[in-house]
Amino acid sequence: MSAEILSPRVIRVPGNATTRDDAIREAGEILVDSGAVLSSYVDAMFAREASVSTYMGNLLAIPHGTNDSQDSIVRSALSVVRYDVPLDWDGNEVRFVIGIAGINDEHLEILSRIAIIFSDANDVQKLVDAANSDEIFDLLEDVND
């Protein structure tokens, strides 16, 4: 897998969005600002959401681009945004929005690692309770392995 896909600088606590679409934009702009994707990737994230919800359960949504957006990805990366007030994601509560961009099929491995963390209610509670982005990074840094 590519070098470091997650760093404390791409973790925002708390997020500013109040709607699903604003949250997708926020997570996507962090990826753009970090140099991981071109701005066209954010449009592909909206296209993916229009075709299938990226809500994953356990307070998590993972917006990502379509299969056709590979040429908008510079390097594999994540953005993480935690919201103090749950967002309505098509009728589901979301506190974490993790934007993902993966070169080739790396996004599948990254998704798997995130799913493992968010499948444990205790781990999710630790992420909810984390005081800042550094604490969230400490809980999620295994995705870099």
Side-chain angles (χ1 to χ4, degrees):
M1 185 149 24
S2 300
E4 190 179 77
I5 59 166
L6 179 66
S7 69
R9 66 184 171 80
V10 295
I11 300 173
R12 185 168 294 159
V13 178
N16 298 315
T18 57
T19 67
R20 180 197 73 182
D21 286 356
D22 286 345
I24 293 170
R25 191 171 294 106
E26 187 169 22
E29 287 174 358
I30 294 169
L31 290 171
V32 171
D33 291 346
S34 74
V37 301
L38 305 177
S39 59
S40 58
Y41 189 76
V42 178
D43 295 331
M45 292 170 79
F46 280 105
R48 167 73 69 188
E49 195 67 39
S51 67
V52 62
S53 176
T54 57
Y55 172 73
M56 305 299 289
N58 284 344
L59 305 176
L60 173 67
I62 306 179
H64 54 285
T66 62
N67 294 338
D68 295 336
S69 63
Q70 282 292 310
D71 54 352
S72 297
I73 301 172
V74 176
R75 63 178 171 79
S76 295
L78 293 174
S79 63
V80 178
V81 186
R82 186 185 71 194
Y83 296 95
D84 290 340
V85 176
L87 302 174
D88 178 352
W89 205 280
D90 302 323
N92 301 293
E93 283 193 358
V94 166
R95 294 278 310 272
F96 295 90
V97 175
I98 299 181
I100 186 169
I103 298 224
N104 301 319
D105 288 334
E106 285 187 354
H107 68 285
L108 299 174
E109 187 173 340
I110 297 165
L111 282 168
S112 173
R113 292 176 183 185
I114 293 167
I116 289 168
I117 294 166
F118 276 86
S119 67
D120 184 308
N122 291 328
D123 288 343
V124 174
Q125 190 59 52
K126 288 176 187 175
L127 289 162
V128 168
D129 294 339
N132 54 47
S133 59
D134 288 328
E135 286 185 20
I136 289 177
F137 175 75
D138 290 343
L139 294 165
L140 295 176
E141 69 179 324
D142 286 348
V143 300
N144 284 327
D145 294 336

